[in-house]
Amino acid sequence: MTIQPSGYLAQVLGTDEQVLLIARPHWLVLLAKTVLWAILVLAVVVSAIWLRVAGSPYWAWTTPLALVPLGFWIWEYQVWSNQMCVLTDRRVIQMDGVLNKQVSDSILDKLNDVKTEQSLLGRIFGYGDIEILTASEEGTNVLHMIQDPLGFKRAMLNAKGAQEDARHSPSD
């Protein structure tokens, strides 16, 4: 099953390159940042209430400050949603960036080894790290806290195997 690419990903793909799987950072990555920004919003709101009860005229100035952490959370969400690890029939593409884009590729032909690391919490919640070792000059490509790392690794090895089978099969 292939996935229809859109946006920046569609521009990165080669001719007839098929997207097999897209993995994003696990939702816990976003949750950790959400908790931080929620605590800051709560602190600003509590400060505004405290200033209001104390009779300070500055309470009205602190209330709009609650929008600042909300804006930062929206930015964090955009950063999180633009991070993706894309498996195609030719390579693994690691993309991130909202305004400025960074893309790194690991060609499946150059794939030497794949290491998967999952902590106990990672096994419970379904996230982990994958380290892709290649024969390229860069050497390794690490995918941190991606969802379903074993599924991604399995799909990557299956794609590499299919590529090798196609290369070694007799042509008609």
Side-chain angles (χ1 to χ4, degrees):
M1 182 181 111
T2 59
I3 299 167
Q4 277 301 359
S6 62
Y8 192 73
L9 176 58
Q11 296 174 21
V12 170
L13 296 177
T15 305
D16 297 328
E17 189 171 10
Q18 301 296 313
V19 174
L20 304 176
L21 181 66
I22 297 176
R24 297 189 183 279
H26 196 268
W27 57 267
L28 283 175
V29 173
L30 183 62
L31 180 66
K33 294 175 182 181
T34 299
V35 168
L36 170 70
W37 293 116
I39 289 170
L40 286 174
V41 167
L42 186 63
V44 170
V45 169
V46 167
S47 298
I49 292 170
W50 183 76
L51 287 171
R52 174 79 169 149
V53 169
S56 173
Y58 299 111
W59 75 271
W61 290 96
T62 58
T63 305
L65 287 177
L67 297 176
V68 173
L70 180 63
F72 278 108
W73 180 84
I74 291 170
W75 178 257
E76 292 287 355
Y77 176 79
Q78 289 298 316
V79 168
W80 175 82
S81 67
N82 279 290
Q83 291 177 327
M84 61 179 76
C85 304
V86 180
L87 174 64
T88 73
D89 56 347
R90 299 180 194 167
R91 58 191 167 147
V92 176
I93 305 168
Q94 188 174 8
M95 295 177 45
D96 60 36
V98 178
L99 301 176
N100 299 322
K101 299 288 189 179
Q102 295 86 34
V103 179
S104 62
D105 302 343
S106 298
I107 306 297
L108 289 177
D109 277 347
K110 306 248 186 238
L111 184 71
N112 286 341
D113 199 7
V114 181
K115 294 181 182 179
T116 306
E117 187 174 317
Q118 277 188 294
S119 64
L120 177 61
L121 284 177
R123 289 177 51 212
I124 292 169
F125 289 108
Y127 68 85
D129 297 340
I130 295 179
E131 186 176 354
I132 302 169
L133 303 164
T134 64
S136 70
E137 290 178 17
E138 207 169 284
T140 62
N141 192 2
V142 181
L143 314 175
H144 292 288
M145 275 192 85
I146 67 165
Q147 59 193 12
D148 189 20
L150 297 178
F152 191 87
K153 178 180 179 179
R154 190 172 30 258
M156 184 172 43
L157 294 175
N158 289 342
K160 181 174 172 54
Q163 199 177 54
E164 289 173 353
D165 289 347
R167 190 172 38 247
H168 296 300
S169 69
S171 13
D172 295 334

